[in-house]
Amino acid sequence: MMVNFKPNLVKKKKYITIPADKQSLSHPSHAGEDFPCPSCSIWITEEELKQNHYICTHCSFHFSCNAWYRIGSIADEGSFREINPCLSTINLLDFPEYDLKLQTAHKKTGLAEAIITGWANVNGIPVGLGVMDAQFMMGSMGSVVGEKICRLVEEVMEQRAPLIIFCASGGARMQEGIISLMQMAKTSAAIGRLHEAGLLYISVLTHPTTGGVSASFASLGDIIIAEPGALIGFTGPRVVEQALGKKLPENFQRAEFHINHGMVDMVVVRSDLKSVLHRILLMHQGGTNAQKEI
Ligand SMILES: [Zn+2]
């Protein structure tokens, strides 16, 4: 007998959401006004921040920056070519309010999904580039984010070029249930094939890199770079503290904590990132046969 199964999600309890005023590391949207830095409390202007890679000029606090700004700061001018720009998700599970959330995220960011993928030159060296945007549903990984990463990996393998992914994510996208969790295995398998092909993969962990993204492709880089102050971990520090029943160190799960515990290879200030990436790419260039022109 055929059973028409439809998950009953309508009565599901509302999940906890983080109020805007608690998202202290978000990119400010004060449109030209002065505002206090959440770290040192010294007043700063948006223009000042923009001129300084969205790093506080007083205390070096790294504000979040959106994906297009990030691409502009890493790719040589005019070199970025986006691939699969129109892939967007559908509400497969008929999850309440998911369509509305997607629309809101799209309107807020101008993005179709939480990652932009494509090709760019970094000081003349062609690379496959993926950049996540935490402002699109907290950079959560659903079916499209996973698919775009896998398609990028396939192109990178075809061209035998290096791959760089900037991670920024709250984890798997709960509105896609098991399908979003499946992306962890799917992206990990794709990166596994990249490793077998002997190609370079640099993972750059920005604030925050957590949940299913931290437990999959974000942690599989041949070289893992983190930005100062970035929160990196599977479960948040408050939950870990409650589970262990003891106080955690103040910088627990921050980039500086991880470098001291061997979880990342470097902590690099945003303004130095392009030159550091370029040096790493140069060191590994001998093994690749990347295309000269994109
Ligand atoms: Zn500051």
Side-chain angles (χ1 to χ4, degrees):
M1 193 178 79
M2 287 283 288
V3 179
N4 188 8
F5 174 74
K6 193 171 179 188
N8 180 15
L9 299 169
V10 180
K11 287 180 184 163
K12 211 171 171 87
K13 252 175 67 179
K14 274 212 160 224
Y15 286 90
I16 296 166
T17 52
I18 302 167
D21 62 337
K22 301 281 184 204
Q23 296 172 19
S24 59
L25 290 168
S26 296
H27 174 272
S29 53
H30 297 253
E33 292 171 24
D34 290 8
F35 54 89
C37 164
S39 172
C40 68
S41 302
I42 296 176
W43 288 67
I44 194 166
T45 64
E46 170 111 24
E47 195 48 41
E48 239 179 300
L49 272 185
K50 207 171 169 183
Q51 298 294 326
N52 198 39
H53 304 268
Y54 286 98
I55 302 170
C56 175
T57 45
H58 306 286
C59 70
S60 299
F61 174 82
H62 282 52
F63 287 81
S64 292
C65 57
N66 68 42
W68 282 115
Y69 178 85
R70 178 79 70 182
I71 290 167
S73 69
I74 295 298
D76 298 348
E77 204 178 338
S79 72
F80 185 72
R81 176 174 62 83
E82 189 175 4
I83 58 169
N84 302 305
C86 299
L87 274 190
S88 59
T89 193
I90 53 168
N91 190 357
L92 274 173
L93 299 178
D94 206 12
F95 197 98
E97 297 175 27
Y98 186 29
D99 296 299
L100 181 66
K101 283 202 164 88
L102 285 168
Q103 276 173 26
T104 308
H106 177 65
K107 214 167 150 189
K108 182 178 160 193
T109 60
L111 303 176
E113 253 300 339
I115 191 167
I116 299 173
T117 53
W119 286 91
N121 286 357
V122 176
N123 291 342
I125 302 177
V127 296
L129 184 63
V131 180
M132 301 187 81
D133 195 317
Q135 293 186 61
F136 191 103
M137 293 195 70
M138 268 314 291
S140 52
M141 174 165 65
S143 54
V144 171
V145 169
E147 179 66 17
K148 285 179 88 165
I149 289 171
C150 291
R151 290 191 188 188
L152 178 64
V153 170
E154 279 169 17
E155 282 206 18
V156 158
M157 287 176 69
E158 226 169 81
Q159 301 295 336
R160 294 202 58 77
L163 171 68
I164 301 173
I165 298 182
F166 284 82
C167 306
S169 178
R173 187 170 298 170
M174 64 181 183
Q175 290 87 349
E176 293 189 26
I178 195 70
I179 297 160
S180 72
L181 295 180
M182 196 192 94
Q183 307 310 312
M184 293 168 66
K186 181 170 153 176
T187 54
S188 299
I191 298 295
R193 288 194 289 276
L194 192 78
H195 287 322
E196 277 167 23
L199 296 168
L200 174 66
Y201 166 41
I202 305 170
S203 174
V204 185
L205 312 183
T206 72
H207 180 82
T209 298
T210 56
V213 167
S214 78
S216 59
F217 64 89
S219 301
L220 294 174
D222 297 300
I223 296 169
I224 301 177
I225 298 173
E227 278 198 336
L231 180 76
I232 301 154
F234 186 69
T235 310
R238 271 179 304 177
V239 178
V240 176
E241 200 162 73
Q242 280 169 13
L244 295 178
K246 60 180 184 184
K247 188 101 186 95
L248 298 168
E250 203 176 308
N251 67 345
F252 181 68
Q253 291 184 330
R254 296 288 169 180
E256 296 73 12
F257 180 87
H258 287 303
I259 191 107
N260 289 333
H261 292 81
M263 294 296 288
V264 300
D265 298 305
M266 310 178 203
V267 177
V268 178
V269 174
R270 190 177 293 155
S271 46
D272 294 340
L273 254 179
K274 184 169 181 176
S275 61
V276 168
L277 287 171
H278 179 230
R279 284 208 302 276
I280 296 170
L281 291 169
L282 273 180
M283 278 188 261
H284 291 82
Q285 214 174 18
T288 65
N289 183 27
Q291 63 196 82
K292 297 293 176 212
E293 296 287 327
I294 294 173

